[in-house]
């Protein structure tokens, strides 16, 4: 790849995006903890964090990161920008280590490395995106049977997790919250791309906001982002930040790539070697996710190891008075 000025700008924006997003996890966690001390915790269904300035600072930091990531794609190819999103895991883990005092065991560190390696492998060997010239073209692709089936499965799966799994084990199993965010996130990316194309074409003189399809995609972005925000807050409030960040990145990346492959059918142009490499990357991610999840479970269990129940005080001696 030629080291052009645009590539340098894209690289700088992508790294800045990772720094902002990784920092936002830690800042929001501090805000959630402060809000939980004075009100109902987010993990218990409370929304007192909306009155906490630090939580809003974390939200602003995350928005800045997303804007920088969006701008990076305008200068550098996706093959350079997308893998750098894994750097947000490193920023989050390092800051959580020094600021939140959240420690990762050796298996957790190995799990993070496996997640990053697997994600980078999948992204680097993902097929190139086709050129899209209008929102109508995206609408045509989105209404194909394959993507309609995926969208229905994603929505039904998220609703099942929200109305059944969350009540039963959401506060104990991190993957319940992360799965909801990732399923909705894959649909968000598709819709965000449509809105971005609509903005680009509108600025160039072809107004795309006169079509109902554009407003439909905007509505999907709004609803999915609200759901993601709610359950990501619950995950951050209930579990270790250094574990939430990489697992969320990994699951979100897998489902996003899957949604794009189904919608754009780019896998048809791939060779057997490319497909095999992506499968190997997926297995690597699964192994890393397993290690991270087991590390989180062992950390939770270790809080109770050796802590015997507090014995109840003996009953007061009875004094018998003889008459």
């Amino acid at each position: 790849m030629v080291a052009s000025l645009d590539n340098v700008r894209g690289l700088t924006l992508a790294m800045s995006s990772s720094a902002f997003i990784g920092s936002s996890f830690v800042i929001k966690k501090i805000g959630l903890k402060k809000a939980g001390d004075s009100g109902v915790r987010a993990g218990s269904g409370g929304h007192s964090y909306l009155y906490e300035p630090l939580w809003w600072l974390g939200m602003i930091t995350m928005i800045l990161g997303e804007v920088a990531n969006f701008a990076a794609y305008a200068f550098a190819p996706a093959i350079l920008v997308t893998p750098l999103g894994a750097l947000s895991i490193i920023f989050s883990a390092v800051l959580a280590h020094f600021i939140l005092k959240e420690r990762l065991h050796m298996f957790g560190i190995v799990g993070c490395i496996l997640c990053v390696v697997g994600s980078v492998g999948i992204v680097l060997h993902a097929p190139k995106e086709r050129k899209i010239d209008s929102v109508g073209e995206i609408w045509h692709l989105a209404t194909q049977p394959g993507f309609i089936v995926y969208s229905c499965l994603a929505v039904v799966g998220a609703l099942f997790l929200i109305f059944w799994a969350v009540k039963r084990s959401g506060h104990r199993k991190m993957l319940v919250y992360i799965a909801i965010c990732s399923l909705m996130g894959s649909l968000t990316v598709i819709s965000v791309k449509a809105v971005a194309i609509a903005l680009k074409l509108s600025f160039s003189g072809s107004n795309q906001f006169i079509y109902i399809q554009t407003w439909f995609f905007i509505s999907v972005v709004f609803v999915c982002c609200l759901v993601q925000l709610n359950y990501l807050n619950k995950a951050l409030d209930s579990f270790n930040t250094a574990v939430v960040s990489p697992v969320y990145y990994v699951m979100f990346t897998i489902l996003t790539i899957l949604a794009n492959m189904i919608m754009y059918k780019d896998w048809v142009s791939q060779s057997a070697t490319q497909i095999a490499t992506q499968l190997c990357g997926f297995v690597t991610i699964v192994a890393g996710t397993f290690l991270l999840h087991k590390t989180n479970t062992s950390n939770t269990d270790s809080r109770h190891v050796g802590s015997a129940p507090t014995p109840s005080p003996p009953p007061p001696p009875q004094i018998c008075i003889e008459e």
Side-chain angles (χ1 to χ4, degrees):
M1 184 180 300
V2 181
S4 64
L5 180 60
D6 282 348
N7 283 345
V8 173
R9 290 174 178 172
L11 176 64
T12 303
L13 285 169
M15 294 185 66
S16 300
S17 171
S18 296
F20 279 124
I21 293 175
S23 302
S24 71
F25 279 96
V26 177
I27 298 174
K28 287 172 66 178
K29 179 65 175 283
I30 297 174
L32 288 169
K33 290 178 68 175
K34 290 189 65 177
D37 294 337
S38 58
V40 181
R41 295 178 55 186
S44 302
H47 296 88
S48 58
Y49 58 84
L50 294 175
Y51 302 98
E52 178 55 49
L54 275 177
W55 184 86
W56 284 108
L57 177 60
M59 277 299 302
I60 294 173
T61 305
M62 177 172 283
I63 291 172
L64 289 175
E66 295 296 344
V67 171
N69 187 63
F70 179 81
Y73 284 99
F75 294 99
I79 197 172
L80 173 65
V81 177
T82 307
L84 292 178
L87 293 178
S88 63
I89 299 173
I90 308 301
F91 282 105
S92 179
V94 171
L95 290 176
H97 176 84
F98 288 104
I99 297 177
L100 299 179
K101 307 301 180 183
E102 295 181 353
R103 302 291 189 262
L104 272 178
H105 296 304
M106 181 57 66
F107 286 130
I109 296 174
V110 174
C112 284
I113 294 173
L114 289 175
C115 288
V116 172
V117 171
S119 298
V120 171
I122 286 181
V123 173
L124 288 178
H125 293 86
K128 294 182 180 180
E129 295 180 349
R130 67 169 67 185
K131 185 179 179 181
I132 303 296
D133 297 319
S134 67
V135 174
E137 186 177 347
I138 294 183
W139 180 260
H140 175 72
L141 294 172
T143 52
Q144 295 295 313
F147 188 73
I148 290 179
V149 170
Y150 173 82
S151 300
C152 292
L153 290 176
V155 172
V156 171
L159 291 176
F160 170 78
L161 292 172
I162 291 171
F163 293 106
W164 188 81
V166 167
K167 295 181 180 179
R168 294 176 60 90
S169 57
H171 61 285
R172 293 184 289 106
K173 296 182 179 180
M174 175 187 62
L175 289 180
V176 173
Y177 293 144
I178 300 300
I180 296 172
C181 295
S182 300
L183 287 169
M184 293 293 97
S186 64
L187 299 179
T188 302
V189 170
I190 299 295
S191 300
V192 164
K193 182 174 181 178
V195 175
I197 291 176
L199 285 171
K200 179 181 177 181
L201 294 175
S202 297
F203 284 134
S204 64
S206 177
N207 187 9
Q208 298 293 306
F209 290 88
I210 61 175
Y211 302 112
I212 191 173
Q213 293 91 336
T214 303
W215 293 102
F216 174 81
F217 285 123
I218 292 175
S219 301
V220 172
V221 171
F222 182 75
V223 173
C224 291
C225 283
L226 286 180
V227 175
Q228 286 178 259
L229 181 61
N230 182 41
Y231 288 97
L232 181 58
N233 284 332
K234 291 179 182 292
L236 287 172
D237 189 53
S238 304
F239 302 98
N240 194 316
T241 307
V243 179
V244 171
S245 179
V247 173
Y248 174 59
Y249 168 78
V250 167
M251 190 173 293
F252 170 78
T253 301
I254 291 175
L255 291 177
T256 299
I257 292 177
L258 178 61
N260 278 272
M261 291 181 68
I262 293 174
M263 182 168 173
Y264 297 110
K265 300 180 177 63
D266 293 323
W267 53 270
V268 176
S269 61
Q270 286 194 290
S271 64
T273 302
Q274 290 175 311
I275 296 175
T277 303
Q278 291 182 58
L279 289 175
C280 290
F282 177 75
V283 173
T284 304
I285 288 174
V286 170
T289 304
F290 175 78
L291 284 177
L292 283 168
H293 193 57
K294 293 301 291 183
T295 301
N296 181 64
T297 304
S298 62
N299 284 340
T300 303
D301 294 341
S302 64
R303 299 181 197 144
H304 307 283
V305 174
S307 57
T310 305
S312 57
Q318 296 181 354
I319 301 176
C320 298
I321 302 176
E322 295 182 358
E323 295 183 355

